[in-house]
Amino acid sequence: LKESSGAARNDLERCKDRLKVPPVTVLLGIGKTEGDKRSTLTAEEIAPLLNGNSKIIIEAGPGCGKTTTLIQFGESLLTQSGSSPAFLPLSEISAGESVLEALTKRDAFHSVGEAKLRLVAKAGNLTLLCDGWNELSAEQRPLAWKALQQYITDFPTCSIVLATRKQSNVPPLEKAEHLHLSRLTKAQQLEIIKSELSDGGAELLERARRIPRLRDVIGIPFYLRAIASLGSVDALPQYKGEIIEKFIAQHISRYERNQILQTELDGSHD
């Protein structure tokens, strides 16, 4: 377990670097509804509650922090439970490979080997953090789901946390708890923008809140960081066309998913 936990820690750090997860990250709120009761927790609070076969699906819109939340789950599991979290972009199992085959192709887990990783999973100590279901094509989803089903059959005591976009044909994980990401609070907005832009961040945020089109989206982490990247109050966009143009410009340079973002902005913020 110690060897796999070390590999998981190294792999998680490499994922953070590859995905450009910001070094200063607030713990994002995860909404939970039980009957008429609603509560907001964080990955740090939920991770210790995962038992041997927990299944969680986290749904959120674009830019809300699905990937960041999975990373936060992984970090919390490493520090609080001793479990071995494995961040898994589902595209890696969308061509017929098994979960363990995909994981052991990575440098961090390759040294552990599939046989040892299988023992860790058999003991219920390998927690999958699945990302990008909504990004899979119609042809890829059946293959990814087949690999997940096989993993669940082989290792029924392992937990799975899956993040996806709302209304994206969520995979039918049996007895999965459905949670959603909450929008950033004002305090979280301030913390993020100060981490991105120490000088003038508070003023930039206050001015952005006065612009209706920006006020609608600054509760979403990606868009808030896009605003911070503008650097000054004078650079703030005023109209929808400017917002789309500047957000897409940043999206291309950081993630190369400009078409997805443009579609979302055109359809979600009229």
Side-chain angles (χ1 to χ4, degrees):
L1 181 59
K2 186 176 180 180
E3 184 180 4
S4 65
S5 293
R9 189 179 301 277
N10 291 336
D11 187 65
L12 205 60
E13 288 301 318
R14 294 179 187 187
C15 288
K16 287 167 65 176
D17 290 342
R18 186 176 73 252
L19 298 168
K20 298 182 174 61
V21 175
V24 178
T25 305
V26 303
L27 287 169
L28 301 179
I30 302 171
K32 181 177 182 179
T33 302
E34 293 179 312
D36 296 332
K37 184 180 178 181
R38 295 183 180 181
S39 58
T40 300
L41 303 171
T42 65
E44 193 173 72
E45 294 169 319
I46 296 174
L49 304 178
L50 295 177
N51 57 39
N53 61 350
S54 295
K55 305 291 185 296
I56 293 176
I57 294 176
I58 299 174
E59 297 179 82
C64 287
K66 296 183 290 295
T67 299
T68 298
T69 299
L70 289 177
I71 295 293
Q72 290 177 351
F73 262 104
E75 292 174 332
S76 298
L77 287 167
L78 283 168
T79 57
Q80 296 182 44
S81 72
S83 173
S84 298
F87 182 84
L88 179 66
L90 291 173
S91 58
E92 294 184 6
I93 57 170
S94 64
E97 288 184 310
S98 72
V99 169
L100 295 189
E101 285 172 342
L103 290 178
T104 51
K105 278 190 171 183
R106 301 205 207 133
D107 290 341
F109 286 113
H110 183 72
S111 60
V112 177
E114 187 172 336
K116 288 184 181 178
L117 204 58
R118 179 174 292 275
L119 292 176
V120 174
K122 283 282 189 186
N125 290 319
L126 186 65
T127 299
L128 291 188
L129 307 173
C130 303
D131 195 28
W133 175 263
N134 54 279
E135 296 173 9
L136 299 178
S137 68
E139 292 75 24
Q140 290 176 314
R141 286 184 182 183
L143 290 171
W145 176 234
K146 181 179 179 181
L148 275 181
Q149 283 183 304
Q150 188 61 56
Y151 179 84
I152 292 169
T153 299
D154 291 343
F155 312 111
T157 58
C158 284
S159 295
I160 295 177
V161 182
L162 184 146
T164 186
R165 190 170 300 177
K166 293 179 180 178
Q167 300 174 338
S168 59
N169 296 318
V170 177
L173 284 176
E174 188 176 357
K175 297 181 180 179
E177 183 171 13
H178 288 252
L179 307 177
H180 64 274
L181 290 184
S182 304
R183 290 207 166 207
L184 298 171
T185 65
K186 288 187 175 181
Q188 288 175 321
Q189 293 170 18
L190 184 59
E191 185 177 348
I192 286 176
I193 206 161
K194 281 186 174 180
S195 72
E196 297 282 325
L197 189 68
S198 56
D199 295 328
E203 181 187 2
L204 183 65
L205 179 59
E206 186 58 36
R207 288 288 293 274
R209 286 173 177 162
R210 298 175 191 170
I211 301 172
R213 290 293 183 182
L214 295 187
R215 189 167 58 241
D216 291 341
V217 298
I218 56 177
I220 299 173
F222 171 77
Y223 301 147
L224 182 61
R225 289 194 168 94
I227 290 170
S229 73
L230 300 177
S232 71
V233 170
D234 294 337
L236 281 174
Q238 299 290 323
Y239 305 105
K240 179 180 178 182
E242 290 181 272
I243 296 170
I244 293 174
E245 181 182 345
K246 291 185 177 182
F247 283 175
I248 287 176
Q250 192 204 28
H251 208 56
I252 292 172
S253 62
R254 291 188 60 189
Y255 301 103
E256 297 179 353
R257 298 175 185 165
N258 54 307
Q259 190 60 50
I260 293 174
L261 178 59
Q262 184 165 20
T263 299
E264 292 298 335
L265 281 174
D266 285 342
S268 302
H269 301 292
D270 292 331

